Amino acid sequence: MKTTTFALACAAAAVVALAGCASKPDSYYTLAGPPALTDAAPRLLNATSPMYIELAPIAVPERLARPQMVVRRPTGGVQVDVLEQHRWASSFENELRDALGSGIAGRLGALDVTQGGRQTSQPVWRVAVQVRQFDLVDGGRVDAGFSWTLRRSDEARTVVCRLDAGEATGSGMDALAQGAQRVTATAAAAMARSVNAAQTNPGATACAI
């Protein structure tokens, strides 16, 4: 009898363990914000002479190159938490690339041809972004630092840009994700302005955003 009870207990424990292993993350987040996050109404695409943008793969710190959200503790220190139950909809660098691409294109009235879709004879603004910092601080804020370069495919010059941005947030992962969306929208707006400025001033090699 004891042997049977023990076996049943073991079987029940195994079922619980397998159920735990099979469970999926319960929350997914995107960095692509709603239209209300744009700083101005999107421009209309110029069908006769469209502008094209192309984003290089985004360079991020190795600790962020994952779908799991990486959160710093409000007390500071050296530890971070990698949250299995709270994830970006894709790996962080891909999610950021998609959000920046759509945000820049929408503000410029441009076409994002990162995945292709233009003839090689058509000039394109190439944007290469490096994330220096993207810290989610639990119950506090989001702090980010971006560097990027701009180069038009038919020009030799390279324009170098930099931005530091931060957003206070409420508590909870939803609030942190919303703060991250706002920071990403701020970066997209700055990058769009830098393309505008570079196009207006053909001799510029430093950003004015």
Side-chain angles (χ1 to χ4, degrees):
M1 184 67 178
K2 289 183 178 180
T3 301
T4 302
T5 302
F6 178 74
L8 289 173
C10 289
V15 169
V16 171
L18 287 172
C21 292
S23 64
K24 297 181 178 180
D26 57 5
S27 297
Y28 291 92
Y29 300 92
T30 180
L31 286 172
L37 286 181
T38 60
D39 57 347
R43 297 186 190 177
L44 295 177
L45 178 67
N46 183 342
T48 59
S49 181
M51 176 188 289
Y52 298 95
I53 64 163
E54 180 181 270
L55 266 71
I58 295 181
V60 303
E62 185 65 28
R63 70 180 182 278
L64 301 178
R66 64 184 73 234
Q68 297 94 332
M69 296 178 77
V70 180
V71 177
R72 288 191 178 275
R73 299 178 182 181
T75 53
V78 297
Q79 285 187 309
V80 296
D81 295 318
V82 178
L83 305 182
E84 292 291 341
Q85 301 301 310
H86 298 276
R87 299 188 175 206
W88 301 113
S90 61
S91 188
F92 173 75
E93 66 272 25
N94 293 333
E95 187 70 21
L96 184 59
R97 187 185 189 188
D98 290 346
L100 289 176
S102 62
I104 297 168
R107 288 170 173 83
L108 293 174
L111 288 173
D112 180 1
V113 293
T114 298
Q115 305 298 330
R118 74 174 181 94
Q119 297 179 5
T120 55
S121 60
Q122 297 167 319
V124 59
W125 282 98
R126 294 194 170 107
V127 187
V129 181
Q130 178 180 10
V131 177
R132 294 179 281 104
Q133 172 192 11
F134 206 105
D135 289 337
L136 309 182
V137 183
D138 190 15
R141 59 183 295 105
V142 178
D143 290 308
F146 301 87
S147 299
W148 68 96
T149 59
L150 301 175
R151 188 175 69 82
R152 202 171 118 140
S153 58
D154 58 351
E155 295 180 1
R157 67 165 174 157
T158 298
V159 182
V160 181
C161 309
R162 179 185 175 100
L163 173 74
D164 293 303
E167 282 280 343
T169 71
S171 60
M173 297 311 301
D174 286 3
L176 272 182
Q178 290 164 4
Q181 278 189 350
R182 293 193 296 272
V183 165
T184 302
T186 297
M191 291 172 192
R193 290 195 300 271
S194 71
V195 174
N196 257 340
Q199 187 162 255
T200 303
N201 184 0
T205 56
C207 243
I209 56 174

